[in-house]
């Protein structure tokens, strides 16, 4: 039997790549995603591809990869993968469900503390000998504040547990669970309608997939429902928050702060609506990426892709 081939198009933990090399022919090129001609040429003989969120597994890639049987996703969002086409082609898509949830949940609680406290915005001033103590004395504690979760799947639920551990109350909205669903009581989270969560939360955190019903979910009207001293954190997907409306709300002081890890277009283009916006933290889609989660995600995907390739063909 010919050796099965795996093409890895974005970064993966070295140990996991090594474990695949022991069993398969592996081409590991973490920058392949940036050159679509090279990417499409590379997948021509591939039985499996392993991607993060930037590689578009679309009609063009699938057409360029006639032998493809397996797509390993080093993460959980599947909006860069044409699932319908994969299904029609009998290509198995394997996400790393649960493996980066802890990283995202810690990012949310840590960032909520940073935004509420606001004490960390004076490094240059303090280094230069100024002492803005009065201005920075109004920071808030997280204990007793309400976390509003939009989306109560794997990451939303883990974020609730972490937030409760630091004394937050938690409310949530998720159309998959009605108010009587056991998951709310089991997690000690109050189920509310979307607008009610937005209106009562001190910290709103988004944990929904990017689908038609969530595109621009947090638009100008929904931002206006939030409390003026509340903060918004988006680690889910770009396109769910209207970035221009958020920038306007922050400039106008209608919201106390925000953190965005994901954007409608990644990387952001210079001169985006978000540039220069006050009380805004930006990170480059790393909420789910830590040394530990990279190892967990990579080894899970290496193992499951290997199993799928070695399983008899359905
Ligand atoms: N920034 C990062 O590094 C990073 C890392 C991991 C996951 N993510 C993203 O986080 C998001 C959540 O991941 P997850 O693993 O918890 O997914 P999940 O599938 O376990 O949960 C998503 C939940 O959202 C709910 N939902 C769908 N539409 C909704 C709506 N209109 N309003 C409220 N809830 C809605 C679903 O019912 C589901 O329970 C995904 O978008 C994923 O891509 C980002």
């Amino acid at each position: 039997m010919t050796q099965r081939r795996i093409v890895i198009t974005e970064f993966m933990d070295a140990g996991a790549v090594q474990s695949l090399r022991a069993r398969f022919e592996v081409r590991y090129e973490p920058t392949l995603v940036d050159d679509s001609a090279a990417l499409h040429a590379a997948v021509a003989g591939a039985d499996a591809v392993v991607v993060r969120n930037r590689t578009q597994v679309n009609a063009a890639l699938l057409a360029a990869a006639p032998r493809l049987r397996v797509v390993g996703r080093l993460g959980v969002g599947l909006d860069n993968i044409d699932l319908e086409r994969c299904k029609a082609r009998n290509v198995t898509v394997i996400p790393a469900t649960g493996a980066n949830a802890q990283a995202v949940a810690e990012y949310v609680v840590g960032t909520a503390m940073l935004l509420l406290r606001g004490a960390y915005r004076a490094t240059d001033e303090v280094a230069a000998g100024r002492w803005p103590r009065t201005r920075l004395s109004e920071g808030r504690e997280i204990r007793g504040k309400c976390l509003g979760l939009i989306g109560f799947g794997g990451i939303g639920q883990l974020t609730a547990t972490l937030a409760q551990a630091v004394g937050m109350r938690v409310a949530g909205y998720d159309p998959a669970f009605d108010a009587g669903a056991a998951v709310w009581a089991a997690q000690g989270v109050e189920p509310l309608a979307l607008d009610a969560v937005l209106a009562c939360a001190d910290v709103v955190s988004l944990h929904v997939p990017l689908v038609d019903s969530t595109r621009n979910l947090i638009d100008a009207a929904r931002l206006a429902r939030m409390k003026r001293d509340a903060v918004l954190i988006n680690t889910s997907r770009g396109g769910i928050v209207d970035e221009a409306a958020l920038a306007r709300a922050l400039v106008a002081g209608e919201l106390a702060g925000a953190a965005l890890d994901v954007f409608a277009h990644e990387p952001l283009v210079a001169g985006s609506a978000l540039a220069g916006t006050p009380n805004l933290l930006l990170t480059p889609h790393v909420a789910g990426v830590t040394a530990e989660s990279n190892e967990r995600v990579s080894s899970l995907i290496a193992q499951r892709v290997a199993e799928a390739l070695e399983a008899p063909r359905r």
Side-chain angles (χ1 to χ4, degrees):
M1 190 169 40
T2 54
Q3 175 89 311
R4 298 213 176 84
R5 291 192 194 143
I6 303 176
V7 175
I8 305 166
T9 67
E10 299 181 60
F11 69 92
M12 188 173 188
D13 177 66
V17 175
Q18 211 39 51
S19 73
L20 288 173
R21 283 210 164 109
R23 290 153 81 174
F24 304 99
E25 186 182 319
V26 173
R27 176 163 172 187
Y28 174 46
E29 218 173 301
T31 56
L32 205 49
V33 57
D34 297 315
D35 181 344
S36 63
L39 170 68
H40 290 170
V43 298
D47 300 281
V49 291
V50 175
V51 303
R52 285 189 179 267
N53 66 309
R54 294 180 56 227
T55 307
Q56 299 304 312
V57 183
N58 52 18
L61 186 140
L62 289 168
R67 286 171 48 153
L68 195 69
R69 289 175 54 191
V70 180
V71 177
R73 165 72 173 94
L74 297 162
V76 289
L78 297 177
D79 41 288
N80 57 318
I81 298 173
D82 187 334
L83 295 174
E84 286 297 311
R85 245 176 242 274
C86 285
K87 196 169 168 203
R89 273 271 309 270
N90 202 18
V91 171
T92 306
V93 177
I94 303 173
T97 306
N100 58 10
Q102 180 73 20
V104 180
E106 288 189 14
Y107 175 104
V108 172
V109 174
T111 303
M113 285 178 160
L114 274 174
L115 288 169
L116 290 176
R117 189 68 182 259
Y120 310 96
R121 296 178 186 135
T123 301
D124 291 346
E125 288 172 78
V126 174
R130 291 194 290 280
W131 209 240
R133 198 167 181 229
T134 308
R135 193 185 86 225
L136 297 177
S137 300
E138 298 293 313
R140 289 170 289 161
E141 297 172 4
I142 203 155
R143 186 180 171 80
K145 299 295 181 299
C146 177
L147 171 65
L149 294 170
I150 312 299
F152 200 53
I155 295 175
Q157 290 179 36
L158 188 60
T159 303
T161 304
L162 244 63
Q164 287 160 338
V166 292
M168 295 191 88
R169 296 175 290 118
V170 186
Y173 165 73
D174 189 319
F177 305 117
D178 61 32
V183 68
W184 300 113
Q187 298 275 334
V189 172
E190 185 183 5
L192 293 173
L194 172 59
D195 286 347
V197 173
L198 295 173
C200 76
D202 302 292
V203 177
V204 171
S205 188
L206 309 180
H207 301 285
V208 297
L210 177 63
V211 289
D212 285 346
S213 61
T214 60
R215 201 171 290 280
N216 265 338
L217 184 70
I218 307 299
D219 58 7
R222 293 239 160 77
L223 288 168
R225 292 186 190 281
M226 290 176 60
K227 300 199 288 196
R228 284 181 84 88
D229 61 358
V231 301
L232 174 72
I233 301 174
N234 186 17
T235 58
S236 61
R237 276 293 177 267
I240 291 166
V241 174
D242 179 336
E243 292 169 4
L246 175 64
R248 283 195 299 274
L250 288 166
V251 168
E254 290 159 7
L255 209 60
L260 301 179
D261 184 55
V262 287
F263 306 91
H265 299 286
E266 297 180 5
L268 275 176
V269 287
S272 96
L274 298 169
T277 301
N279 301 323
L280 177 64
L281 300 176
L282 304 180
T283 50
H285 203 143
V286 289
V289 187
T290 58
E292 294 89 345
S293 78
N294 186 30
E295 215 177 292
R296 281 193 304 268
V297 163
S298 297
S299 63
L300 177 72
I301 290 304
Q303 185 193 331
R304 296 214 38 220
V305 165
E307 283 165 7
L309 282 179
E310 283 167 350
R313 188 104 225 224
R314 280 175 289 143

